[in-house]
Amino acid sequence: QVQLVESGGGLVQAGGSLRLSCAASGSFFSINVMGWYRQPPGKQRELVAVITSGGITNFADSVKGRFTISRDNAKNTVYLQMNSLNPEDTAVYFCHLGVSGYNYWGQGTQVTVSS
């Protein structure tokens, strides 16, 4: 059973920073993609950033230059460093693991940016 456990969400003022972490547990193939999606209030879930086990990254245009993504393959953990946050970044952030044709999701963590 693959499980994803997120941490690091919270309330921050505009211009501030937060760091999200997501640890994956269970048995799965080492070649995979981990990343973050978010769902703003009243909107659909959208890609934020992903990183392959080989270190290739992809970012949504809205976060390029502000967010960075990294991972520790030994710990099966992915991190999202969010800088220069603005109220438009307010959303529930979901960790994602794509492996062997399957998609796994975390429970979500709330990020709220006040103006």
Side-chain angles (χ1 to χ4, degrees):
Q1 182 85 8
V2 176
Q3 289 188 324
L4 303 177
V5 178
E6 302 135 332
S7 61
L11 173 65
V12 64
Q13 288 188 332
S17 299
L18 282 175
R19 187 189 193 214
L20 305 183
S21 300
C22 172
S25 61
S27 179
F28 51 88
F29 195 42
S30 60
I31 298 177
N32 55 64
V33 180
M34 295 187 76
W36 296 91
Y37 290 70
R38 67 186 181 187
Q39 187 164 13
K43 296 183 179 180
Q44 292 188 332
R45 194 174 298 189
E46 61 186 19
L47 169 73
V48 178
V50 293
I51 182 169
T52 70
S53 47
I56 299 171
T57 60
N58 187 37
F59 293 89
D61 288 343
S62 60
V63 307
K64 285 181 180 177
R66 300 188 298 123
F67 292 11
T68 58
I69 189 169
S70 60
R71 62 186 288 168
D72 184 334
N73 289 334
K75 296 181 179 180
N76 291 322
T77 300
V78 63
Y79 307 96
L80 184 69
Q81 178 65 44
M82 306 185 291
N83 299 326
S84 301
L85 285 160
N86 59 61
E88 289 70 40
D89 296 315
T90 294
V92 178
Y93 284 69
F94 295 91
C95 180
H96 173 260
L97 167 66
V99 57
S100 302
Y102 292 90
N103 293 296
Y104 300 94
W105 295 94
Q107 79 283 358
T109 185
Q110 178 70 45
V111 172
T112 302
V113 184
S114 63
S115 57

